Amino acid sequence: MNKHFVILAVAGLAATSAIAAELPERVKSAGKVVVANQPNYPPMEYRDPATNELKGVDIDLGVALAKQLGVKVEWSDIGFEQMISSLTTGRVDLIHSGMSDLPKRRDTLDFVDYMKSGAQFYTAAARKDEFKSPADLCGKTVGMSRRTSFPDETAKWSAANCEAAGKPAIKVVGTEGSADARAQLKQGRVDAAVQGSETLPYLMTLEKDTYALVGEPFTAVYQGIGFAKKDSELRDAYAAALKALMDNGEYKKIFAAHGLEGTMLDGIYVNGEAAK
């Protein structure tokens, strides 16, 4: 092996060991992190229909981060609405499942942010000429997962852009999840739907000529890995591991593999603020 690469490899191992040393003792002893994740949000997390294997951006990034820390990942399939309580009661070590870093969640959690996202209106492809801009949705029925921040964000957008302009409000329909919203859209039970902007290009490739975007994302938010407030050691170790993946190019490689280069961050952010 080239001497230069040997030196780089040794340096890389030393850096990994230094980051791993920051882990809490319970994680070092267990040799693993238990991670809350619900694999129903492609391309962030999903199960391959053919193999039942976990796939997605969060899965690839979660494994890469754990490897950087010298531990394994144990994925725990938990309903989105139960994730925060599972974390605060110690059932899991962290949440890595397409969760938005929202101010109201920071009372309970700390976030290491890893990508940009936004709420996006979309409709059935057959109705794309009917809804050419988000304003065309005023007075219409729009479905979205009730477990997310989308209902509140849509109501807020409607107040500012529909009611304030003298138009009828959007009728927000909370669904059992994004898949349920899409099913209701196909059945004609809702006029449009809302989902994270990072997921729609994948779905539109998977189901060609089925959906059409309506305007641009109407919110801007970071997705973050969630940690209990008391678990600052684990949070900081993950921030250091993410920085290492950014520096060595693996972070970019993961996002490029899923066609999501445009959602990458330019540095480390904790609770929405650039880390010092």
Side-chain angles (χ1 to χ4, degrees):
M1 182 183 289
N2 183 291
K3 183 179 179 181
H4 176 65
F5 289 114
V6 171
I7 293 171
L8 287 177
V10 171
L13 287 172
T16 300
S17 298
I19 297 170
E22 299 178 28
L23 287 170
E25 284 302 322
R26 76 173 194 281
V27 175
K28 291 179 189 175
S29 299
K32 67 179 182 180
V33 282
V34 182
V35 182
N37 179 277
Q38 190 173 37
N40 65 352
Y41 200 51
M44 301 310 296
E45 43 262 319
Y46 62 100
R47 289 193 179 275
D48 187 315
T51 64
N52 205 38
E53 180 185 1
L54 281 172
K55 290 189 173 183
V57 177
D58 285 343
I59 305 304
D60 292 347
L61 185 59
V63 170
L65 286 165
K67 184 178 179 181
Q68 192 71 36
L69 292 167
V71 295
K72 302 289 187 182
V73 180
E74 180 181 306
W75 299 104
S76 183
D77 188 344
I78 295 174
F80 199 81
E81 69 279 4
Q82 298 169 334
M83 286 184 180
I84 293 177
S85 62
S86 294
L87 178 62
T88 55
T89 57
R91 181 180 168 189
V92 299
D93 294 308
L94 57 104
I95 300 168
H96 194 166
S97 191
M99 181 173 280
S100 297
D101 174 2
L102 302 176
K104 66 181 180 181
R105 288 177 176 153
R106 295 176 197 152
D107 291 338
T108 308
L109 307 180
D110 279 336
F111 288 95
V112 173
D113 302 322
Y114 61 96
M115 67 178 288
K116 295 176 286 188
S117 179
Q120 172 73 58
F121 290 118
Y122 66 103
T123 189
R127 302 184 71 180
K128 64 181 180 181
D129 292 334
E130 186 179 347
F131 304 116
K132 293 183 178 179
S133 75
D136 295 329
L137 295 171
C138 295
K140 301 298 182 181
T141 302
V142 181
M144 63 211 71
S145 172
R146 66 169 58 94
R147 303 184 184 103
T148 68
S149 57
F150 296 150
D152 287 344
E153 291 165 345
T154 301
K156 186 176 180 180
W157 185 93
S158 176
N161 296 276
C162 296
E163 293 109 295
K167 299 177 182 179
I170 286 176
K171 300 168 188 174
V172 174
V173 176
T175 67
E176 288 304 310
S178 297
D180 183 31
R182 294 194 298 276
Q184 293 197 39
L185 182 62
K186 291 175 182 176
Q187 295 162 2
R189 294 166 62 190
V190 296
D191 299 299
V194 173
Q195 201 163 306
S197 57
E198 72 278 7
T199 67
L200 287 164
Y202 172 85
L203 288 170
M204 292 172 76
T205 300
L206 203 64
E207 300 181 70
K208 293 185 183 299
D209 303 318
T210 303
Y211 309 111
L213 303 182
V214 182
E216 298 293 323
F218 61 93
T219 65
V221 67
Y222 291 145
Q223 300 286 1
I225 303 169
F227 302 87
K229 279 286 185 185
K230 62 184 180 182
D231 220 353
S232 58
E233 278 185 305
L234 187 59
R235 177 202 66 201
D236 292 347
Y238 261 76
L242 181 59
K243 176 67 163 60
L245 294 183
M246 288 180 171
D247 290 346
N248 69 22
E250 192 165 358
Y251 170 79
K252 183 176 181 179
K253 184 178 178 181
I254 289 169
F255 279 79
H258 295 276
L260 291 175
E261 298 98 315
T263 69
M264 295 190 307
L265 300 184
D266 59 359
I268 301 302
Y269 292 78
V270 176
N271 296 330
E273 300 289 335
K276 297 179 181 178

